[in-house]
Amino acid sequence: MQHVDGNALAGPLAEFFSFDLTTAIARCSGCGAVGELARTMVYRSGAGTVVRCSECDQVLATLVETADRAWIGLSGISAIEVPRG
Amino acid sequence: MSFITRGFSGCSRERDERLPPGQTLVQDFPVLSAGPTPEVDTAEWEFTIRTESSVHRWNWDEFTSLAIDDVDTDIHCVTHWSKLGTSWRGVSLDTLFEQVETEQEYVMAHSYGGYTTNVPLDELLDGKAWVAFEFDGEPLEPEHGGPARLLVPHLYFWKSAKWVRGLVMMEQDEPGFWEQNGYHLHGDPWTEERYW
């Protein structure tokens, strides 16, 4: 099967990054817990925001923001479910 | 207009030369954490250095029986605050590495609670880094990294890992927790190595 380049992601990924992600459901890659992102534990500091699993404390995601750039890391999330329609 | 000119030149002259670019002086000690504060009992505390061939271990009593340095230094946080003339006590990494043989040149610091940060070994030696357990004459409080934290004051303060529990030698430099998520692999405040 041939692959295509990353431009093909524009449509599918727009769905994931264009709505309120706190309503999404994520799976923790550490303990396997599945739950709404809104129910995670969020630690905010000047350095960045760290999102942790409310079941096992593992880091799910990190957010780092500057005036002109931002990073999102999803190192502890194995999958995200978003509602459609 | 003359008073404005005087004001600007006055500001320029009065900037403290100990402040790296982009930093602001603070008098308090802000707390930055990536998670809950681990409560580590010194009876359970252990510090290790893991090399390619062995593991060196110290418990609290062994650790605090080593030669202890008094360290007066400035600290610089990547979130733009600096604190000048802070006082610490701790064990120099030179003392710890006297007993360690390694050919590997990079270090990953690991903390209770899971935090990691990477530092080249040569930036931890020759009087540049400590494992500190006292601040301002008092035992280091948990919110500031007690019972013991890494102190690498010539780099941004995220490199001075709180609640440090050990160092793991690495053959190549690899990013730690914040370094994987946007922050600079090295972190020199004088050249503003803040982000990728």
Side-chain angles (χ1 to χ4, degrees):
Chain A
M1 184 176 175
Q2 289 199 326
H3 64 269
V4 295
D5 71 29
N7 285 308
L9 293 172
L13 279 187
E15 185 171 4
F16 284 88
F17 290 102
S18 63
F19 76 103
D20 180 5
L21 266 173
T22 59
T23 64
I25 293 171
R27 182 179 187 278
C28 171
S29 65
C31 70
V34 175
E36 293 175 0
L37 276 175
R39 299 182 62 184
T40 58
M41 299 183 295
V42 177
Y43 295 85
R44 302 174 72 175
S45 76
T49 299
V50 178
V51 184
R52 289 178 179 267
C53 175
S54 56
E55 296 292 327
C56 74
D57 224 27
Q58 170 173 287
V59 175
L60 298 174
T62 57
L63 305 170
V64 173
E65 297 176 70
T66 72
D68 58 353
R69 290 188 289 167
W71 291 259
I72 179 166
L74 301 171
S75 62
I77 295 178
S78 58
I80 297 176
E81 171 190 335
V82 299
R84 304 187 84 173
Chain B
M1 290 299 288
S2 61
F3 70 93
I4 294 177
T5 304
R6 208 164 48 238
F8 275 117
S9 60
C11 275
S12 173
R13 274 201 305 274
E14 287 166 12
R15 182 175 168 82
D16 196 315
E17 291 183 356
R18 294 173 295 175
L19 270 185
Q23 296 296 109
T24 301
L25 193 58
V26 296
Q27 300 301 327
D28 59 345
F29 195 167
V31 174
L32 271 70
S33 293
T37 298
E39 295 290 337
V40 185
D41 189 336
T42 53
E44 307 289 326
W45 184 89
E46 182 180 65
F47 186 80
T48 60
I49 298 179
R50 183 181 297 273
T51 71
E52 60 272 41
S53 58
S54 60
V55 181
H56 302 256
R57 298 178 189 278
W58 296 264
N59 64 27
W60 186 257
D61 289 340
E62 292 166 341
F63 196 83
T64 52
S65 298
L66 297 169
I68 297 170
D69 287 358
D70 291 295
V71 184
D72 292 310
T73 188
D74 306 333
I75 57 177
H76 311 291
C77 181
V78 71
T79 61
H80 297 277
W81 60 260
S82 290
K83 191 170 174 61
L84 304 180
T86 59
S87 298
W88 306 80
R89 295 184 80 226
V91 176
S92 166
L93 273 282
D94 294 311
T95 300
L96 297 173
F97 273 88
E98 279 175 6
Q99 307 174 36
V100 176
E101 294 231 355
T102 180
E103 297 295 317
Q104 297 180 321
E105 297 179 357
Y106 299 95
V107 176
M108 187 71 80
H110 291 256
S111 295
Y112 291 97
Y115 180 78
T116 57
T117 190
N118 58 299
V119 187
L121 178 58
D122 66 0
E123 305 235 11
L124 295 177
L125 302 179
D126 296 328
K128 293 200 284 282
W130 295 263
V131 173
F133 48 81
E134 285 185 25
F135 173 73
D136 227 3
E138 301 288 338
L140 188 59
E141 293 179 10
E143 69 171 7
H144 288 305
R149 75 180 296 162
L150 197 59
L151 178 64
V152 194
H154 72 286
L155 299 177
Y156 281 125
F157 214 45
W158 89 77
K159 297 287 187 181
S160 295
K162 295 180 181 182
W163 315 297
V164 70
R165 66 176 172 82
L167 307 177
V168 176
M169 300 305 304
M170 304 185 293
E171 194 168 332
Q172 296 181 328
D173 205 5
E174 295 175 18
F177 178 78
W178 282 124
E179 295 85 358
Q180 292 176 40
N181 289 293
Y183 285 92
H184 199 279
L185 202 60
H186 181 230
D188 178 359
W190 294 98
T191 54
E192 291 202 77
E193 292 176 334
R194 297 178 190 273
Y195 305 101
W196 295 352

